[in-house]
């Protein structure tokens, strides 16, 4: 069987016309859009739910302020969806965390989804957890809500109990 490859490129979240301070293109979007199409058909009709921060949420939406105002964000969700003909549910929340007591934290909403409805799930978190001083923890942490690692373990165990054959990308 073919193994599909996803390459995340630094800067792919910037709009297509964005040019950084050194005037070098951040990423060649034409090349990115045409890579890895050889096995795209095996993804046709598959269902994907994407959890994450603004990196996930903002994808394919226009910037509302700043130097890129009005430009459409090109990010990993849109880039993958253009190459792989999947049905995508973008469940990212700007400013959200994986852990914590806020209602937007994934640990407080992951049970609101039916994972048997999906073939793939992505979990993109960390930046806002770091900014909110959420303790990282270790792989030895028990499932729970005390650390980032414990919350991640709790969420993963729940998803895999609900759908043991789901593709899980973290």
């Amino acid at each position: 069987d073919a193994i599909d490859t996803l390459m995340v490129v630094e800067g792919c979240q910037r709009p297509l016309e964005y040019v950084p301070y050194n005037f070098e293109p951040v990423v060649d979007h034409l090349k990115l859009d045409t890579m890895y199409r050889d096995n795209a058909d095996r993804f046709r009709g598959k269902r994907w739910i994407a959890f994450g921060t603004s990196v996930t949420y903002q994808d394919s939406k226009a910037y509302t302020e700043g130097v890129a105002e009005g430009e459409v964000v090109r990010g990993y969700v849109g880039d993958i969806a253009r190459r792989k003909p999947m049905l995508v549910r973008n469940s990212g929340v700007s400013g959200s965390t994986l852990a914590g007591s806020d209602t937007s934290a994934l640990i407080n909403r992951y049970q609101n989804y039916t994972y048997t409805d999906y073939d793939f799930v992505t979990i993109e978190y960390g930046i806002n957890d770091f900014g909110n001083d959420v303790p990282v923890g270790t792989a030895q942490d028990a499932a729970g809500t005390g650390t980032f690692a414990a919350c991640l373990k709790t969420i993963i165990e729940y998803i895999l109990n609900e759908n043991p054959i789901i593709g899980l990308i973290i």
Side-chain angles (χ1 to χ4, degrees):
D1 287 342
I3 297 175
D4 193 41
T5 304
L6 166 64
M7 182 174 77
V8 178
V9 180
E10 179 182 355
C12 66
Q13 193 66 20
R14 295 184 176 106
L16 190 58
E17 292 79 12
Y18 178 85
V19 177
Y21 71 93
N22 63 0
F23 303 106
E24 295 292 326
V26 176
V27 64
D28 180 347
H29 286 285
L30 294 176
K31 183 177 180 185
L32 190 63
D33 280 347
T34 58
M35 292 169 48
Y36 310 120
R37 288 188 190 271
D38 56 325
N39 59 1
D41 282 344
R42 69 189 177 103
F43 292 93
R44 188 167 310 282
K46 299 293 186 185
R47 297 150 305 165
W48 167 27
I49 186 167
F51 293 118
T53 64
S54 61
V55 171
T56 298
Y57 168 80
Q58 190 64 39
D59 192 308
S60 302
K61 296 175 180 71
Y63 284 107
T64 57
E65 59 185 47
V67 297
E69 185 174 354
E71 297 290 337
V72 175
V73 176
R74 296 279 308 263
Y76 79 97
V77 175
D79 279 338
I80 294 170
R82 276 186 289 281
R83 288 197 311 268
K84 311 296 183 194
M86 290 188 280
L87 306 171
V88 182
R89 178 176 182 176
N90 187 332
S91 292
V93 178
S94 287
S96 67
T97 57
L98 181 87
S101 58
D102 189 273
T103 56
S104 68
L106 187 58
I107 192 65
N108 298 319
R109 59 189 181 91
Y110 71 97
Q111 292 180 325
N112 298 337
Y113 301 88
T114 305
Y115 295 98
T116 53
D117 290 346
Y118 300 99
D119 301 292
F120 300 96
V121 61
T122 52
I123 301 174
E124 171 273 314
Y125 282 95
I127 188 68
N128 296 329
D129 293 89
F130 177 80
N132 286 292
D133 294 323
V134 171
V136 175
T138 69
Q140 286 72 41
D141 288 356
T145 59
T147 66
F148 183 91
C151 289
L152 187 58
K153 188 178 284 188
T154 299
I155 293 165
I156 290 170
E157 287 178 2
Y158 182 87
I159 292 171
L160 292 177
N161 280 328
E162 293 289 308
N163 183 352
I165 61 169
I166 197 167
L168 182 61
I169 302 137
I170 302 171

